[in-house]
Amino acid sequence: MRWAAQWGVFMSLELIPHLHPGNNTVVAFFSLYPLLFCCTLHPFALPPLLAMALEAIQQTLLNPFGQISLATVLLVIIVLTYFTLSFTELETARKLFKASNTVYTFAWNCFLKPHTGDGSGNQQDALESFYKSQASIYDATRSKLLDGRENMLGLVAAQVKHQAQTGQLSRKPIWVDVGGGTGWNIEQMGQYLPVQDFFHAVYLVDLSTSLCEVAKARFERLGWKNVRVVCQDARKFRLSDYEAGVDDEKAIFSIGQSAYDEHESGDKVLADVLTMSYSLSMIPEFHPVVDSMASLLGPNGIMGVVDFYVQSQVDFQSRNYTGGVIDRHCMWISRVFWRTWFEMDRVSLEPARRDYLEYKFGTILSTNARNHFFGFRIPYYIWIGCAKQTRSSLSNLHAVDAAVTESPFISALDLQAKQSQSGRRSSFELRSKAYDTALVNLSASLPLPSAWYQQHHWRVYYDEQLQKHKQFGDEYIYAFTWEDSRADARILKITNDDVILAITSAGDNILSYALEKPKRIHAVDLNPNQNHLLELKVAAFTALSYSDTWKLFGEGKHEDFRKLLINDLSPHLSTQALDYWLHKGPAAFDAKGKGLYYTGGSRHALNLVKWVGWVLGVSADLKRLCNTGTLAEQREIWSKRVRRVVLSQLLAYTVIGSERFLWKALGVPRAQREMIEADHASTNDKVESASTASTSTGRGIKSGQAIWEYCVNTLDPVANDTLVSEDNHYYLLCLQARYTQRCHPAYLAPKAHIKLSQPNAFDGLRIHTDELAEVFARMTPGTLTIAVLMDSMDWFDPEGKEAAQQIRAVNRALKVGGRVLLRSAGLKPWYVRQFETLGFVGKRVAARIPPGTCIDR
Ligand SMILES: C[S@@+](CC[C@H](N)C(=O)[O-])C[C@H]1O[C@@H](n2cnc3c(N)ncnc32)[C@H](O)[C@@H]1O
């Protein structure tokens, strides 16, 4: 039956490619049909197959040619075995035998052996029938299958360590590993934390007696006295039975007790850490076990789960509290196949288990992955959570909201505790989207969005499933910021009283502003991936040494990115950022790869520089440009070797002038390109007739010329006046995809690291994933002192209303005397006049004219 069912599913997998992908009903019918067929007919189907095989062997043996072939094959096998054995040492042979025996036992127990022992409905019998004969080889055979256990433990350890470092633990924590099996996880935790010293007590709860025996032997061998193995049904386990100090009357087991229930028994013994690795899917009734976990977890406790799952996006796409959806959706064939397959081992992959877990707790971090098991990719998730109502989530609600909207309430942040108790703000005050969403969730008894459960409140909640965010896919455009932060500093002269709003981009300028310690920085970007990059940088300053930070963002490579991410950075990242970097980071920072700066849309610009250098034979000159010691030397290389190639008109007309390249690689949208074209036309006094401009060839040439002129006016002064090797890290990065210790952004200096790694360095940072207009609209009037809009207004349509709307919104949010700093590709941006009519005074502080003038580096 088991074989027949498995073959049925394999056959259905075979059928899929031949069927129309859109017609799910037809596909489902054809794929399930062989399964049903084999399941019902297998007692009759197998014997004819066997008979056919036996007949074929008989035919072969009767035929003389067949006899000779068979004898030859046998001889070859004997000779090969003889030689292999004579060259193999006894020890190796023994190991080989042991390994094959292990594989055989695993395969027999997991895939072939019929399960018994559940006739009585007793789960322990059922478990024993599965585990008894394989308890001794359990650990050796689960490393690949039960992937993600180390990562889950690492993430839990990082959270608990952070709690310990920040004084959130008042005593040594208690850890309960539910369905802990052989105790492998607890020993493994030793890689991250000194288990014996760190925990007051560790409980392994498991219902399988044979696995518990292995666990007991393990902790005896290790000599870990604070670990206790409890052979019991997890649904009935209560800590109060084992931890002294609580009298029986008060230690009431409270199945189903809501995490929102404020009146829970005050001195019940609660766990500080709970883990379940691949056990939730194995416990038949999951509601009681999840309920009892919710009652067992302390108000500040951390829970970690890793398990198999399958799920369709239909289930989760309208939820805002699941914390990260990358790769969560599984294809229908994967859903059907893995559920059916695992059911045979009494492992249930129905989505409701994970859903209920997410409903009963708050989600701190969540990620989805696929393991690689003999060529198959089995979906699993890692989830780190906490009680729905943590000590900090609700009490912080008002304070965090106030910081996002710059409410007057913020001026009394020091009195936060007092004010959040009263929770009253005047009716005209603006609320953040995060706050509004939290209220909706609370009224529906749902957990808060995961942003509320984070260790830091830097990243403001946003709905990642909105199309306006999903349009960017999983790519940021800018891996580095292109606007010169030194020019900003010179113009803005930031003080401690400033409240700045700026576009995130790659976050480099946000870090430069943070060095000046303003009161608050609101970093805004519509592309969530740009904000993930900023978060990674902020987390690096918070948790890493200078040398690791330098490797990540100076060199763009790190030999152990995943380890850093799990062990050090994870408590400082939002779930979306962690999920993103778990998926993208190892490749982006791969020490053998091209590095961070060859990621994102801006990699196309770096590729172009490399390609031009190679095709036109100036690679060596570009390299020399990065190492010259004097401006004179640089000018010579530029004017004699590089300029004629890089500023070739052909290149501008064919590549740089192309709309696609400008947008994809340089983030230049059509409206901005048109501004460059308009400047070109007006300076050359060559306004073309509308009919000529509208033909595609005419447009291409015009655009190419305009872009060429723009490049000349930009690059010539840079090459002549700024020393790339020492003082222009913007161009240095484009040429060699990394910074040097001599030339890098201000935030990568050792002194900057000292400042930015101070415990409260980013307390004033709020990262918004939204349109600028949306953020301005929710900002309390008259609170911003500086708004840095980069070139975002170039993107608006001059005929549209957005520019005027945005200008009005900025004006409303700014304090009297507040400043807006903007950059434009245009010489006289059309919207400056609108600023002036709407209450601003405009001043151009730099321009690329007259030719030869440098706007900035
Ligand atoms: C796949 S194993 C995972 C073991 C271990 N956590 C690991 O990662 O290696 C699932 C475990 O859940 C345990 N289990 C299943 N139902 C249980 C229950 N009702 N109470 C306690 N343990 C249970 C099984 O005995 C088994 O050890």
Side-chain angles (χ1 to χ4, degrees):
M1 179 73 174
R2 189 180 170 81
W3 278 16
Q6 287 168 2
W7 272 109
V9 181
F10 274 128
M11 285 173 69
S12 54
L13 279 171
E14 277 299 300
L15 266 173
I16 307 305
H18 310 295
L19 294 166
H20 189 272
N23 193 340
N24 277 356
T25 325
V26 176
V27 175
F29 174 77
F30 277 105
S31 58
L32 286 176
Y33 179 73
L35 171 78
L36 297 173
F37 178 81
C38 291
C39 289
T40 40
L41 293 190
H42 81 283
F44 309 106
L46 279 181
L49 279 176
L50 265 177
M52 275 164 66
L54 283 175
E55 201 184 312
I57 295 170
Q58 208 177 11
Q59 292 278 348
T60 314
L61 289 177
L62 288 177
N63 172 349
F65 182 71
Q67 288 166 359
I68 293 171
S69 310
L70 195 69
T72 317
V73 171
L74 280 177
L75 190 71
V76 170
I77 292 175
I78 291 167
V79 171
L80 277 178
T81 315
Y82 175 80
F83 275 104
T84 315
L85 286 180
S86 24
F87 287 109
T88 311
E89 284 178 27
L90 202 59
E91 188 50 29
T92 319
R94 210 176 282 147
K95 273 191 197 153
L96 265 175
F97 176 73
K98 205 174 153 198
S100 40
N101 194 32
T102 302
V103 172
Y104 162 74
T105 315
F106 171 71
W108 167 249
N109 281 285
C110 291
F111 307 130
L112 305 169
K113 188 182 139 200
H115 290 301
T116 54
D118 54 345
S120 62
N122 178 337
Q123 203 215 344
Q124 192 168 38
D125 276 358
L127 283 175
E128 275 310 273
S129 87
F130 185 62
Y131 283 126
K132 196 168 179 178
S133 46
Q134 53 165 324
S136 59
I137 56 125
Y138 180 91
D139 286 338
T141 51
R142 295 313 197 270
S143 62
K144 282 256 176 270
L145 181 64
L146 307 186
D147 196 16
R149 290 181 296 174
E150 290 101 323
N151 286 353
M152 182 274 282
L153 293 169
L155 291 170
V156 168
Q159 292 283 333
V160 186
K161 257 199 258 180
H162 179 74
Q163 286 185 333
Q165 283 158 4
T166 48
Q168 296 177 54
L169 295 177
S170 51
R171 57 180 169 84
K172 281 191 176 187
I174 298 177
W175 169 22
V176 184
D177 188 26
V178 180
T182 60
W184 183 91
N185 283 337
I186 298 176
E187 182 171 359
Q188 188 65 23
M189 186 61 112
Q191 307 250 345
Y192 309 105
L193 290 170
V195 177
Q196 261 195 301
D197 298 329
F198 189 85
F199 292 103
H200 163 71
V202 181
Y203 289 87
L204 182 156
V205 183
D206 202 286
L207 192 54
S208 158
T209 41
S210 39
L211 294 187
C212 283
E213 287 311 315
V214 177
K216 279 179 191 158
R218 177 193 303 272
F219 298 117
E220 237 158 71
R221 168 175 58 79
L222 292 170
W224 289 2
K225 300 273 182 272
N226 60 341
V227 183
R228 188 163 179 170
V229 178
V230 181
C231 192
Q232 194 184 25
D233 189 326
R235 291 163 290 189
K236 295 178 189 152
F237 175 79
R238 55 179 179 168
L239 207 42
S240 321
D241 288 347
Y242 301 90
E243 284 295 316
V246 177
D247 63 58
D248 277 347
E249 224 177 289
K250 284 180 184 161
I252 305 160
F253 186 53
S254 50
I255 289 183
Q257 185 180 341
S258 160
Y260 275 78
D261 185 356
E262 304 229 319
H263 309 291
E264 73 182 88
S265 53
D267 48 0
K268 197 174 77 169
V269 184
L270 298 169
D272 303 287
V273 181
L274 276 179
T275 49
M276 295 184 86
S277 80
Y278 292 97
S279 55
L280 182 58
S281 57
M282 247 197 152
I283 300 177
E285 295 89 13
F286 62 92
H287 291 100
V289 78
V290 172
D291 281 356
S292 65
M293 292 305 112
S295 304
L296 189 60
L297 189 67
N300 220 19
I302 298 290
M303 181 163 174
V305 176
V306 55
D307 216 326
F308 296 123
Y309 84 102
V310 286
Q311 188 159 42
S312 155
Q313 60 194 3
V314 177
D315 291 349
F316 58 82
Q317 62 194 2
S318 58
R319 294 179 201 156
N320 61 15
Y321 55 88
T322 53
V325 292
I326 303 178
D327 281 349
R328 181 155 177 164
H329 172 75
C330 307
M331 271 174 66
W332 72 267
I333 183 67
S334 161
R335 302 199 297 271
V336 172
F337 179 65
W338 291 120
R339 269 191 78 166
T340 316
W341 176 281
F342 277 102
E343 262 165 27
M344 289 178 242
D345 287 335
R346 293 191 188 82
V347 177
S348 302
L349 265 56
E350 78 270 48
R353 286 176 190 252
R354 187 177 180 188
D355 290 346
Y356 191 54
L357 185 72
E358 288 169 341
Y359 166 71
K360 288 295 286 187
F361 293 87
T363 295
I364 300 176
L365 301 171
S366 176
T367 187
N368 308 291
R370 307 285 182 266
N371 78 3
H372 296 274
F373 188 66
F374 293 113
F376 288 97
R377 298 175 77 238
I378 314 178
Y380 71 90
Y381 65 93
I382 300 176
W383 173 90
I384 309 296
C386 59
K388 245 183 188 177
Q389 180 186 339
T390 62
R391 267 183 209 141
S392 56
S393 67
L394 292 189
S395 62
N396 273 347
L397 209 65
H398 298 284
V400 172
D401 175 54
V404 169
T405 57
E406 286 301 329
S407 142
F409 185 78
I410 195 73
S411 55
L413 247 195
D414 307 336
L415 307 171
Q416 165 195 328
K418 201 174 125 209
Q419 297 214 12
S420 52
Q421 268 165 21
S422 76
R424 256 183 263 120
R425 302 199 318 180
S426 54
S427 55
F428 66 82
E429 273 178 48
L430 294 161
R431 295 291 190 185
S432 62
K433 279 188 189 170
Y435 186 87
D436 288 347
T437 314
L439 289 192
V440 173
N441 283 23
L442 284 174
S443 63
S445 241
L446 293 169
L448 297 174
S450 66
W452 294 100
Y453 298 105
Q454 306 296 313
Q455 302 275 2
H456 301 280
H457 292 286
W458 298 324
R459 185 77 178 255
V460 179
Y461 160 77
Y462 70 101
D463 184 351
E464 66 195 299
Q465 304 200 50
L466 295 180
Q467 187 49 33
K468 67 178 184 179
H469 302 310
K470 287 205 290 194
Q471 64 170 317
F472 298 101
D474 54 12
E475 194 170 76
Y476 38 83
I477 299 180
Y478 312 100
F480 50 95
T481 303
W482 190 238
E483 284 76 7
D484 189 348
S485 60
R486 191 192 288 165
D488 287 15
R490 182 172 40 80
I491 297 163
L492 294 172
K493 299 191 177 53
I494 295 167
T495 69
N496 297 154
D497 293 327
D498 277 319
V499 177
I500 306 175
L501 184 145
I503 293 179
T504 307
S505 181
D508 302 354
N509 286 13
I510 303 293
L511 295 172
S512 303
Y513 303 149
L515 285 171
E516 308 298 330
K517 297 193 178 157
K519 193 163 132 201
R520 188 164 330 278
I521 305 175
H522 295 277
V524 186
D525 215 298
L526 186 59
N527 182 343
N529 310 309
Q530 297 291 166
N531 283 336
H532 297 333
L533 185 54
L534 170 59
E535 264 201 70
L536 190 73
K537 290 177 179 173
V538 170
F541 279 104
T542 310
L544 301 183
S545 64
Y546 175 72
S547 80
D548 282 330
T549 311
W550 171 260
K551 279 187 191 171
L552 290 178
F553 304 111
E555 294 167 13
K557 297 179 183 182
H558 199 288
E559 64 286 355
D560 228 341
F561 176 78
R562 189 183 288 275
K563 202 168 146 206
L564 284 189
L565 187 63
I566 303 268
N567 297 357
D568 303 292
L569 301 174
S570 63
H572 311 289
L573 289 171
S574 69
T575 177
Q576 284 83 7
L578 176 84
D579 196 20
Y580 182 83
W581 289 113
L582 274 172
H583 282 87
K584 294 275 158 191
F589 292 97
D590 184 3
K592 294 196 186 101
K594 289 173 149 188
L596 173 71
Y597 297 109
Y598 267 110
T599 62
S602 51
R603 75 179 183 282
H604 296 302
L606 270 70
N607 275 324
L608 178 80
V609 171
K610 207 170 168 186
W611 179 81
V612 165
W614 181 70
V615 170
L616 303 173
V618 288
S619 295
D621 300 302
L622 293 177
K623 220 175 187 174
R624 276 171 60 215
L625 268 185
C626 301
N627 295 305
T628 49
T630 61
L631 261 182
E633 212 180 319
Q634 177 177 297
R635 282 182 197 139
E636 188 167 319
I637 301 170
W638 171 252
S639 55
K640 297 214 173 121
R641 299 281 310 162
V642 183
R643 190 181 188 280
R644 71 187 161 83
V645 177
V646 174
L647 291 182
S648 100
Q649 299 212 7
L650 183 68
L651 198 69
Y653 286 28
T654 51
V655 184
I656 303 173
S658 101
E659 187 171 338
R660 197 175 148 71
F661 179 82
L662 283 172
W663 168 236
K664 279 268 175 194
L666 306 178
V668 178
R670 173 194 276 256
Q672 195 168 42
R673 194 198 57 191
E674 281 171 2
M675 291 177 80
I676 297 173
E677 286 170 8
D679 281 343
H680 172 75
S682 65
T683 48
N684 292 286
D685 203 22
K686 270 196 274 173
V687 184
E688 291 170 32
S689 71
S691 59
T692 322
S694 63
T695 65
S696 61
T697 351
R699 170 160 214 117
I701 290 171
K702 197 180 86 165
S703 178
Q705 279 171 345
I707 300 296
W708 180 79
E709 191 186 84
Y710 183 88
C711 292
V712 169
N713 287 346
T714 306
L715 294 181
D716 266 345
V718 162
N720 289 328
D721 300 336
T722 70
L723 187 55
V724 171
S725 61
E726 287 193 2
D727 197 36
N728 198 332
H729 59 264
Y730 299 100
Y731 283 89
L732 184 80
L733 189 77
C734 292
L735 292 172
Q736 59 176 32
R738 53 157 297 173
Y739 299 113
T740 62
Q741 287 288 354
R742 272 201 303 165
C743 187
H744 52 68
Y747 79 88
L748 281 175
K751 267 194 207 156
H753 188 270
I754 294 171
K755 274 195 189 173
L756 296 179
S757 58
Q758 297 293 315
N760 304 324
F762 294 106
D763 277 1
L765 176 65
R766 293 293 176 273
I767 306 175
H768 305 252
T769 310
D770 220 328
E771 286 107 347
L772 280 170
E774 292 279 332
V775 181
F776 283 132
R778 295 213 177 224
M779 200 128 285
T780 304
T783 46
L784 285 182
T785 61
I786 295 173
V788 184
L789 304 185
M790 295 191 170
D791 60 349
S792 66
M793 303 224 29
D794 279 5
W795 295 39
F796 291 136
D797 177 3
E799 308 300 323
K801 290 184 185 148
E802 297 104 315
Q805 274 166 0
Q806 179 147 307
I807 295 167
R808 279 197 195 94
V810 188
N811 201 355
R812 205 172 120 272
L814 277 182
K815 240 184 179 159
V816 175
R819 292 160 294 161
V820 174
L821 174 66
L822 49 86
R823 286 175 161 83
S824 175
L827 290 171
K828 290 182 188 151
W830 53 269
Y831 43 80
V832 168
R833 202 168 314 128
Q834 293 196 16
F835 266 100
E836 286 167 348
T837 40
L838 292 171
F840 286 83
V841 178
K843 185 177 169 193
R844 189 164 76 183
V845 283
R848 61 176 192 279
I849 49 168
T853 315
C854 226
I855 300 178
D856 57 26
R857 284 177 294 169

